[in-house]
Amino acid sequence: MIERSHLEIFRAVERQGSLTAAAEQLHLTQSALSHAIRKLEQQLGTPVWLREGRQLRFTQAGEQLLNLANRLLPQFEHAEMLVGQVAKGQRGSLRVGMECHPCYQWLLKVVGPYLQQWPDVDVDVKQEFQFGGMGALFGHDIDLLVTPDPLHRPGVSFVPVFDYEQVLVVASDHPLAGEQWVEPDQLEKETLITYPVAPERLDIFTRFFLPAHAAPARHKTIETTDIMLQMVAAGRGVSALPRWLVDEYAQKMPVRALQLGREGMPKQIFLGFRERDVEVDYLNAFMKLARSIRWN
C-alpha cells in the first residue's frame, strides 16, 4: 500500500514547502503527484495533509509517513550507492561526520594516508552534522562520527582514538593569565563562550562547574573556533578547548591555556559507528589508522 514513491513525495513536500516545488524536484506533474496522494488517502482511509491557503499541513497520519520517509529513504539511497559502487568495481564509500568541532586538522592527518591505503574507497567529511551527529549516524547520512562526547545508544558503538586535555583559554592580559590552574569560583564573573552544544553535554559544566555548585555569569555560544578565540583574545570572555588547539592558536593570537582544576581535565576523542557495520573492512581500517595518529 505504502510505496517508496509516496515517501519521496512526503519528503519533497516538507523540504520544498509546496506541491509545485515538490513535483518539480521529483520530475512529476503536480496533477500526477496529487493523484498519487489521493489514491493513497483512499487506501489508508484518512487524509495525509490539509490545505491552509497556499500552505500544506500534515495530518497526524501524514506526520507518521513523513517520519517513516526520513528514516527509510536515507537507508535506501545509501544501499543503492553502495551497490552502484560495487557494480563499478569500487570498494565502497566512507562518510565521516564531525561532532568534534576543533578536530578537523587532526582528521586531515588520518584521511591523507587512508586514501593512499584504500584507493578504491571514497571518503567524504561532513561538518553539517557537527551539532547532531547521532541522528545522522542512525539515519545513514554518515558512517563514522568523530565526537568527544559519545551518547551510548543501542546499535551504536564507540572506540577511543586519542587522548587530550581540556583547558581554559583566556586572553594573555586576563587577570587569571598568570595562574597555573583555575577553580570554578574564579570564573563566576566571567562570560563563558562555547560551541552551540547543550550544557549537559559540555564537560566545562558537567565536570567543572556543576560539582562545585558554581556557574559563569553568562554563557554565550559561537559556532566557529576562529571567532570564538578572537572574542577570547579581545577580552570578551573565556572558553574551554583542547590544549593542542589552544597551543596552536597561541602562536598567532594573545591567548593562554590554563589547567581546569588542580588535577586537570583529561578527555578522549571517539569514533562512533553502527554495530551492524562492524565487519566492514575499510571502516575498521580507518578506525585502526585513526588510533595510530596523534596530534603533535
Side-chain angles (χ1 to χ4, degrees):
M1 183 183 298
I2 300 172
E3 300 178 3
R4 178 176 173 179
S5 59
H6 296 136
L7 301 182
E8 290 174 338
I9 290 173
F10 277 87
R11 185 174 67 175
V13 167
E14 181 200 31
R15 291 181 176 180
Q16 302 301 318
S18 71
L19 288 181
T20 302
E24 183 177 347
Q25 182 195 11
L26 296 172
H27 305 291
L28 297 171
T29 64
Q30 185 173 336
S31 60
L33 187 154
S34 298
H35 176 74
I37 295 302
R38 282 197 302 271
K39 184 176 180 180
L40 176 64
E41 289 177 328
Q42 291 172 357
Q43 294 173 330
L44 294 174
T46 183
V48 296
W49 59 49
L50 301 173
R51 291 183 180 273
E52 296 180 344
R54 295 184 177 181
Q55 300 297 318
L56 291 177
R57 178 175 62 84
F58 289 106
T59 64
Q60 184 175 358
E63 290 286 353
Q64 291 294 327
L65 292 175
L66 177 61
N67 291 336
L68 184 66
N70 289 332
R71 289 199 309 272
L72 292 185
L73 289 178
Q75 298 185 45
F76 276 118
E77 292 158 357
H78 182 49
E80 289 169 347
M81 179 187 66
L82 294 180
V83 172
Q85 289 172 335
V86 171
K88 295 176 182 177
Q90 299 173 342
R91 191 60 173 268
S93 177
L94 184 63
R95 299 159 305 163
V96 183
M98 298 292 291
E99 204 176 59
C100 172
H101 323 294
C103 290
Y104 190 74
Q105 294 300 319
W106 166 81
L107 186 63
L108 290 178
K109 296 174 67 175
V110 182
V111 170
Y114 180 81
L115 291 174
Q116 294 180 352
Q117 295 177 17
W118 295 83
D120 51 355
V121 175
D122 286 333
V123 176
D124 189 11
V125 177
K126 297 178 177 287
Q127 297 190 75
E128 65 263 35
F129 302 115
Q130 59 182 330
F131 306 119
M134 286 295 288
L137 194 59
F138 276 114
H140 287 74
D141 292 305
I142 59 175
D143 306 300
L144 283 174
L145 175 63
V146 182
T147 180
D149 302 301
L151 290 174
H152 297 282
R153 298 287 187 271
V156 173
S157 291
F158 291 90
V159 295
V161 289
F162 77 89
D163 302 327
Y164 68 96
E165 181 189 5
Q166 190 86 335
V167 296
L168 186 77
V169 53
V170 301
S172 296
D173 58 356
H174 191 281
L176 295 174
E179 302 289 339
Q180 181 179 350
W181 72 81
V182 293
E183 299 293 346
D185 60 355
Q186 294 177 279
L187 304 180
E188 289 185 325
K189 296 182 180 180
E190 299 288 342
T191 295
L192 177 67
I193 304 173
T194 73
Y195 297 107
V197 177
E200 57 268 22
R201 294 195 62 195
L202 291 171
D203 292 282
I204 187 69
F205 283 103
T206 60
R207 296 174 57 182
F208 189 70
F209 284 117
L210 290 181
H213 304 287
R218 185 183 177 213
H219 179 203
K220 179 181 178 64
T221 61
I222 294 178
E223 291 193 11
T224 60
T225 304
D226 284 337
I227 299 300
M228 183 185 298
L229 285 169
Q230 290 280 2
M231 294 283 286
V232 171
R236 302 291 185 87
V238 300
S239 188
L241 293 168
R243 181 179 289 278
W244 50 263
L245 182 68
V246 180
D247 289 345
E248 176 186 334
Y249 274 86
Q251 299 176 22
K252 52 188 178 183
M253 285 186 182
V255 295
R256 187 172 185 277
L258 307 178
Q259 189 171 292
L260 285 165
R262 185 183 295 269
E263 303 299 325
M265 187 178 292
K267 287 277 293 176
Q268 289 180 307
I269 293 297
F270 294 82
L271 286 179
F273 61 96
R274 293 180 295 272
E275 291 177 350
R276 68 181 66 175
D277 295 335
V278 69
E279 300 299 330
V280 178
D281 54 357
Y282 59 83
L283 185 146
N284 281 308
F286 187 94
M287 291 192 291
K288 182 178 179 181
L289 180 61
R291 299 184 75 172
S292 70
I293 301 293
R294 295 293 179 268
W295 188 269
N296 295 325

